[in-house]
């Protein structure tokens, strides 16, 4: 019985990750979202940390634009100068997003999907 609950828990976690991954895939080029915003849009309010964990667990087959997800301050979450921070910065710059001091000005480029976009694009 205990192993069954672990399987259910694993399936539940995977379902939550898939909701997050589907939401992240909707962020259009040239736009960014915060971890908390993705959690809210995925129906998981208050679960910003889960978004970070889910992005780290996503396989390459999801082809996620993970680099479009930032802290609520617009900061890149990885340590400045790290390989991952540099990769994220380069990806954002390639989409025309200005990055200064590892920060993006959310006011200029934050994704603001309309309700119709979410209702028809998300499958959960």
């Amino acid at each position: 019985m205990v192993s069954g609950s672990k399987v259910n828990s694993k399936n539940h976690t995977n379902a939550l990750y898939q909701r997050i991954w589907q939401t992240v895939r909707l962020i259009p080029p040239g736009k960014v979202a915060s971890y908390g915003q993705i959690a809210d849009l995925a129906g998981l309010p208050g679960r910003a940390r889960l978004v970070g964990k889910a992005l780290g667990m996503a396989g390459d087959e999801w082809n996620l634009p993970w680099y479009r997800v930032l802290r609520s301050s617009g900061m890149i979450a990885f340590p400045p100068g790290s390989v991952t921070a540099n990769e994220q910065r380069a990806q954002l710059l390639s989409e025309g997003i200005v990055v200064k001091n590892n920060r993006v000005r959310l006011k200029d480029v934050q994704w603001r999907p309309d309700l119709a976009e979410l209702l028809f694009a998300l499958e959960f």
Side-chain angles (χ1 to χ4, degrees):
M1 193 103 176
V2 173
S3 64
S5 65
K6 286 183 180 180
V7 170
N8 289 339
S9 176
K10 184 177 179 180
N11 288 341
H12 177 71
T13 300
N14 189 40
L16 296 180
Y17 286 178
Q18 288 185 25
R19 289 168 66 170
I20 291 165
W21 298 335
Q22 287 177 21
T23 306
V24 170
R25 290 181 80 181
L26 294 176
I27 306 169
K31 297 292 182 182
V32 297
S34 70
Y35 291 96
Q37 179 185 2
I38 294 300
D40 289 348
L41 292 172
L44 303 165
R47 306 291 301 269
R49 288 183 185 205
L50 183 64
V51 172
K53 186 173 181 179
L55 290 177
M57 299 296 284
D60 290 338
E61 69 274 8
W62 276 90
N63 196 28
L64 293 177
W66 60 269
Y67 54 88
R68 295 180 188 144
V69 183
L70 305 167
R71 290 184 175 163
S72 61
S73 64
M75 289 288 292
I76 290 175
F78 302 101
S82 68
V83 172
T84 310
N86 290 340
E87 180 183 352
Q88 186 171 17
R89 184 177 193 280
Q91 291 276 18
L92 293 170
L93 290 170
S94 75
E95 293 187 358
I97 297 173
V98 176
V99 181
K100 291 184 181 177
N101 298 322
N102 271 7
R103 183 185 302 262
V104 168
R105 190 173 154 154
L106 291 178
K107 184 172 145 181
D108 297 337
V109 293
Q110 188 166 21
W111 178 45
R112 290 178 170 58
D114 63 26
L115 184 58
E117 180 180 0
L118 293 175
L119 289 174
F120 293 110
L122 295 176
E123 299 176 11
F124 49 82

